[in-house]
Amino acid sequence: MDYKVAFANAVEQVRSEGRYRVFADLKRHRGAFPRATWTQDNGVEKDVIVWCSNDYLGQGQNPIVLDAMHKAIDETGSGSGGTRNISGTTHFHVELEHELADLHGKEAALLFTSGYVSNEATLATLQKILPGMVIFSDELNHASMIAGIRHGGGPRHVFRHNDLEHLEELLAAAPADAPKLIAFESVYSMDGDIADLNAIAVLAKTYGAMTYLDEVHAVGMYGERGGGVSERDGAASQIDIIEGTLGKAFGVMGGYIAADAVIIDAIRSYANGFIFTTSLPPALTAGALASIKWLKQHNEVREIHQERAATLKKMMADAGLPVMPSVSHIVPVLVGDPVHTKMVSDMLLAEHGIYVQPINYPTVPRGTERLRFTPTPFHTDEMMRDLVGAMQKLWAHCNIARMGGQAA
C-alpha cells in the first residue's frame, strides 16, 4: 500500500469540500491586545486586528498575570518535573486547585493539561467507576465530551439541543436503578446560546441523575466573581461536576473539574489522562492563579465585555449582516457555504487587516458555515466600524445573503 497517497487523498478530500484549514501565523503585541502581526507565506509582515481570540477578556496581556508567571519562573524554573504523583505537584498547583474550588463553591478541584483532556478523561473515568452508567448528552456538546463519553463505552443517548422535553423522555425511558449522568454545556460556543441549568438540575434530581456541566466558554465571564453561568443563575450548588478551562477567559492554559471532594479523589485515582501525563508548568499555574484572583475582584470587566458584544451585534444587524441569534458574548455571522466562508475570511485578512477564522464542518453542521466573532473589552468602536464596513463590501462582492435571505 502507498501510504503517502492515502494521506494525500485524505487531505485532498478536505480541500475539495472547501474545509481545508490554514493556520494564521500571528505574533500578539504585549500591551496592545487585540493587535497582532501576521506573517504571510512570503515572509511579509502585516499588522492585523484579531477578532476570534478565545482570550475573551485579554487576561493574557494583564500585567498581574504576566508578573506572576515571570516570578514563578525565576523562583522555580520552567517545567514541573513530572506527573502529579511523581514530583510534579508544586505549591502553585495546590493553591490553584483551592482557588478553583472556591470559585465554584465546591469542596475540591482537579487540574488537567487542557480543557479537552479534562472532559475526555473525566467522562470516560466516570463510566469506569460507575459501571452501566447511562449518559444523556446534548447533541451540540463539544468534541472532547463526545470523545470521553464514547471512550467510556457505556450506554448513551443524545438529546436534541437544549430540548428538555426530549431529555425527560429519554430519562423516563431509562432503567430506574441504573446510574445516570446528564452532560451539557452552559454557553455553546458556535451558536452563542445558553442552557437552562436550573431546569436541567431539577430533571436530574427527579430521575436520580448526576450532572456534568462544561463551562469553558463562561468561566471568568459570567457571575459576580466569574464562576460562570452556574454562578450567575444560582445553579452551581445543584451541579455535581463543573468543568472549565484556564485557556480562555483566564488567558493561560489548562483545564479542570470542580466537585465534591470524594468525586475529585476518585477521578484523581482512576483517570489515565490525569495520572500518566506531566503536570502543568509552575509558570502557567501561577499565571492562572493570579488571573482568577484578579477577575474575582473585577466584575466591571465582565460588564464591559457584555456591552462590547451587544454593541457589535447591533452594528452588524443595523448594517443588514446576517448575525445569528445569540444571548451570550459570541457573535456568529452566517455565511452558509464553506468556500464563501473561507473566501471572506481570507479577504478580510489580506485586504483589511482583520483576522477571523472560518468555521466550517465538522465544527458546525453543513450549510451553517459562519464567521465567529469574539469582541473583547479592548475592541473599540472604531475597530467595530472598520470591521462592519469591510464586511459590507465583501458581502456585496461575494454576493452573500444578508438579513432576510436576500443576496447582496
Side-chain angles (χ1 to χ4, degrees):
M1 179 177 179
D2 192 329
Y3 293 104
K4 286 188 177 180
V5 169
F7 288 119
N9 289 340
V11 173
E12 182 55 35
Q13 175 66 31
V14 177
R15 286 185 185 275
S16 67
E17 297 175 6
R19 298 191 293 113
Y20 185 74
R21 301 184 182 196
V22 178
F23 298 149
D25 182 345
L26 301 173
K27 184 190 297 179
R28 304 206 300 175
H29 299 171
R30 176 176 174 175
F33 183 77
R35 300 184 185 277
T37 296
W38 168 47
T39 301
Q40 303 174 57
D41 290 341
N42 59 8
V44 175
E45 294 185 337
K46 180 176 182 176
D47 287 341
V48 299
I49 303 296
V50 178
W51 276 100
C52 55
S53 174
N54 284 339
D55 187 1
Y56 292 128
L57 302 179
Q59 284 292 96
Q61 306 286 307
N62 188 331
I64 300 294
V65 177
L66 302 184
D67 289 347
M69 297 180 75
H70 283 297
K71 188 171 184 288
I73 290 176
D74 290 340
E75 291 182 352
T76 69
S78 58
S80 67
T83 65
R84 287 292 298 276
N85 187 50
I86 306 176
S87 83
T89 296
T90 72
H91 189 58
F92 294 114
H93 291 83
V94 175
E95 283 190 298
L96 179 53
E97 287 175 338
H98 288 161
E99 198 70 31
L100 288 165
D102 174 78
L103 178 67
H104 295 293
K106 299 298 184 184
E107 292 178 349
L110 188 66
L111 286 172
F112 292 84
T113 51
S114 74
Y116 189 105
V117 174
S118 57
N119 270 333
E120 197 277 338
T122 303
L123 285 166
T125 303
L126 286 169
Q127 296 173 77
K128 184 189 302 184
I129 296 170
L130 297 166
M133 169 178 271
V134 183
I135 296 185
F136 303 85
S137 174
D138 188 289
E139 67 176 334
L140 294 189
N141 277 342
H142 190 263
S144 58
M145 300 175 74
I146 295 170
I149 292 167
R150 287 176 174 170
H151 186 195
R156 55 189 183 269
H157 300 281
V158 177
F159 61 92
R160 291 185 293 270
H161 178 52
N162 279 346
D163 187 336
L164 300 194
E165 290 186 4
H166 187 215
L167 172 59
E168 184 165 19
E169 290 175 9
L170 295 172
L171 286 165
D177 58 347
K180 304 175 187 67
L181 177 81
I182 304 172
F184 59 106
E185 300 182 33
S186 55
V187 176
Y188 287 85
S189 63
M190 291 300 126
D191 291 337
D193 55 345
I194 296 178
D196 188 338
L197 274 55
N198 283 296
I200 292 175
V202 169
L203 281 178
K205 185 174 182 179
T206 300
Y207 291 93
M210 293 180 65
T211 44
Y212 183 97
L213 172 63
D214 178 316
E215 284 257 52
V216 296
H217 290 278
V219 289
M221 295 176 291
Y222 295 87
E224 188 68 25
R225 300 194 310 153
V229 174
S230 56
E231 182 195 2
R232 185 198 70 176
D233 294 355
S237 63
Q238 305 303 311
I239 305 297
D240 293 296
I241 302 173
I242 296 176
E243 185 267 349
T245 183
L246 306 173
K248 293 182 170 59
F250 296 129
V252 193
M253 178 186 175
Y256 67 89
I257 58 171
D260 289 346
V262 67
I263 295 175
I264 296 299
D265 203 19
I267 299 298
R268 180 186 71 85
S269 301
Y270 283 87
N272 287 346
F274 173 82
I275 297 169
F276 296 105
T277 190
T278 301
S279 65
L280 290 169
L284 293 182
T285 51
L289 178 63
S291 182
I292 294 166
K293 286 183 174 180
W294 191 87
L295 281 175
K296 282 180 177 179
Q297 303 298 323
H298 289 274
N299 191 48
E300 73 279 0
V301 177
R302 286 179 278 279
E303 293 173 348
I304 296 170
H305 184 226
Q306 291 296 319
E307 179 276 324
R308 292 285 77 195
T311 297
L312 182 60
K313 290 175 192 175
K314 184 178 188 306
M315 290 175 66
M316 287 184 165
D318 289 346
L321 295 167
V323 184
M324 301 171 70
S326 167
V327 294
S328 69
H329 59 282
I330 306 295
V331 184
V333 178
L334 179 67
V335 180
D337 175 85
V339 175
H340 279 162
T341 305
K342 187 176 187 308
M343 182 189 303
V344 171
S345 172
D346 289 346
M347 294 174 74
L348 282 171
L349 184 59
E351 299 176 13
H352 301 277
I354 292 169
Y355 171 56
V356 58
Q357 191 70 11
I359 305 296
N360 292 328
Y361 176 85
T363 306
V364 295
R366 297 182 192 273
T368 69
E369 293 85 1
R370 68 200 64 178
L371 300 175
R372 173 185 174 272
F373 297 91
T374 54
T376 72
F378 302 96
H379 284 89
T380 65
D381 284 351
E382 181 182 3
M383 292 176 184
M384 292 184 183
R385 285 191 292 267
D386 289 345
L387 168 64
V388 171
M391 290 182 66
Q392 285 182 298
K393 292 177 183 177
L394 293 180
W395 245 247
H397 177 80
C398 299
N399 197 34
I400 303 172
R402 290 179 176 268
M403 300 286 266
Q406 297 298 315

